[in-house]
């Protein structure tokens, strides 16, 4: 599937920077001690879901030469690995967090497909 550029006119570089910042933020927040995490009005699972949907969406927009489903799989796998990495910190891995990460990655993929299908994305111009 060809990924198209958003009509907002944002450059590929902008999407790439946003994707990397999102990934770094998710990584840091996933490994910080629980008491150091910022409070939100969302549940833990909602936070995981949104984070991994965002990673998939932003990476799909930033690197359009790679199929979005590959980004979704990469995000889901990373979500499982980061949960396992919590064993190396004071955090405790949670299978349901990994499930929320994977579901979020899948929804991120569906968002890319939907935005493309309804025409909110336009063809990339080199």
């Amino acid at each position: 599937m060809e990924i198209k550029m958003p009509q907002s006119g944002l450059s590929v570089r902008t999407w790439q920077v946003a994707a990397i910042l999102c990934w770094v933020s998710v990584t840091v927040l996933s490994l910080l001690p629980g008491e150091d995490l910022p409070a939100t009005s969302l549940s833990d699972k909602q936070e995981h879901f949104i984070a991994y949907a965002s990673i998939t969406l932003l990476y799909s927009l930033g690197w359009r030469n790679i199929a979005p489903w590959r980004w979704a799989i990469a995000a889901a796998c990373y979500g499982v690995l980061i949960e396992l990495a919590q064993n190396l910190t004071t955090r405790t891995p949670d299978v349901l967090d990994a499930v929320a990460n994977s579901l979020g990655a899948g929804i991120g993929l569906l968002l890319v497909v939907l935005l493309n299908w309804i025409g909110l994305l336009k063809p990339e111009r080199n």
Side-chain angles (χ1 to χ4, degrees):
M1 174 174 102
E2 177 186 339
I3 298 300
K4 300 174 183 177
M5 194 59 192
Q7 291 181 359
S8 67
L10 293 176
S11 70
V12 170
R13 179 68 66 211
T14 302
W15 291 114
Q16 291 172 343
V17 169
I20 292 167
L21 289 174
C22 182
W23 170 68
V24 169
S25 298
V26 167
T27 300
V28 169
L29 290 169
S30 295
L31 298 177
L32 277 176
E35 61 272 5
D36 293 341
L37 294 175
T40 70
S41 61
L42 300 174
S43 75
D44 174 52
K45 303 309 177 252
Q46 289 171 322
E47 293 169 349
H48 283 262
F49 183 87
I50 291 168
Y52 285 85
S54 299
I55 288 173
T56 301
L57 178 63
L58 292 171
Y59 271 89
S60 294
L61 293 171
W63 283 272
R64 294 180 313 280
N65 58 321
I66 298 173
W69 64 266
R70 291 180 186 267
W71 289 121
I73 289 173
C77 289
Y78 186 74
V80 170
L81 291 175
I82 204 74
E83 285 301 314
L84 294 174
Q86 288 181 348
N87 275 320
L88 304 174
T89 70
T90 59
R91 303 276 299 271
T92 304
D94 184 349
V95 171
L96 293 179
D97 285 349
V99 170
N101 298 345
S102 298
L103 289 173
I107 291 299
L109 172 61
L110 288 176
L111 283 172
V112 172
V113 171
L114 179 64
L115 290 172
N116 190 46
W117 182 71
I118 62 176
L120 290 179
L121 304 177
K122 66 180 180 180
E124 172 188 0
R125 302 258 184 230
N126 292 330

